[in-house]
Amino acid sequence: MTRKSLLLFAFPALILLILAGERAATFLLGSYPASPALWRIWLELRPLATMFWQQVDLYLGGSMVLDAAILTAASILCWMACRTRKSAAFFFLANHAALLFAGLMMASSSHSETASTIAAFTAPSGHPFSLMLDFTWQNSLVLLLGTAACAYCHVAFLSEARQRSRAVAVRLIALQRDF
């Protein structure tokens, strides 16, 4: 099995498209606030991406041009990481970071405060903590696709490692025969 760069890039691209779609819908809502289709798109993408963009806007000033530059740079880096032939660590990093980022986006959009099982806690200071993750069909689909993308990374890496070990074994047998 040879690794396919497009399949390795698919999940990071999905996450970047969700982020870009939310930014585009937000931008277009500023121009066309009476459009029901834009509101529908924005409301679907908002739970996944808005908390991330609120933090980015807080730290970087809220420029749509800067947001577009961040998305473009991230997509170029992910594409280059998925196309590299030297090391499998880069496409592992791109896919696994995208999955962790998707989980982080879902947790922050659900206003999660703890990273344990579903429970309610009271801190010593008296402040209550609870975990609420929204496992809607969109969130579940994104997590399922992310898990499948990571599994594909593992399968591609293991098949390449198996092919390399076979080639090394053949070379060792040839060297033993020559001596």
Side-chain angles (χ1 to χ4, degrees), residues 1-24:
M1 173 184 177
T2 59
R3 78 174 108 141
K4 305 208 180 349
S5 298
L6 190 59
L7 289 177
L8 293 171
F9 181 65
F11 185 70
L14 172 70
I15 298 302
L16 291 170
L17 282 174
I18 288 171
L19 290 170
E22 195 278 333
R23 284 289 86 182

Side-chain angles (χ1 to χ4, degrees), residues 5-175:
S5 298
L6 190 59
L7 289 177
L8 293 171
F9 181 65
F11 185 70
L14 172 70
I15 298 302
L16 291 170
L17 282 174
I18 288 171
L19 290 170
E22 195 278 333
R23 284 289 86 182
T26 301
F27 177 74
L28 291 173
L29 272 176
S31 301
Y32 308 103
S35 171
L38 284 177
W39 277 103
R40 196 171 300 121
I41 292 168
W42 183 75
L43 286 173
E44 288 295 324
L45 294 175
R46 183 178 179 272
L48 286 173
T50 299
M51 293 300 288
F52 169 75
W53 286 121
Q54 285 176 354
Q55 293 300 314
V56 169
D57 288 344
L58 176 69
Y59 292 118
L60 298 179
S63 168
M64 287 286 197
V65 173
L66 187 58
D67 294 346
I70 290 170
L71 288 170
T72 303
S75 62
I76 290 170
L77 285 173
C78 286
W79 178 248
M80 288 177 12
C82 292
R83 292 210 25 109
T84 186
R85 293 287 176 194
K86 293 182 181 181
S87 175
F90 296 117
F91 68 82
F92 263 87
L93 182 64
N95 272 286
H96 289 70
L99 180 62
L100 290 172
F101 186 73
L104 176 70
M105 285 191 317
M106 287 173 210
S108 66
S109 68
S110 302
H111 304 292
S112 300
E113 297 173 358
T114 62
S116 62
T117 59
I118 296 174
F121 301 98
T122 303
S125 63
H127 185 71
F129 290 97
S130 64
L131 175 69
M132 301 179 315
L133 282 179
D134 293 332
F135 283 111
T136 61
W137 70 271
Q138 292 104 336
N139 290 352
S140 300
L141 181 64
V142 168
L143 289 176
L144 180 68
L145 289 173
T147 305
C150 290
Y152 178 73
C153 285
H154 289 271
V155 168
F157 174 76
L158 291 174
S159 67
E160 285 181 8
R162 191 176 315 116
Q163 289 172 354
R164 283 191 305 270
S165 68
R166 285 182 191 150
V168 168
V170 168
R171 279 188 243 139
L172 285 174
I173 290 170
L175 282 173

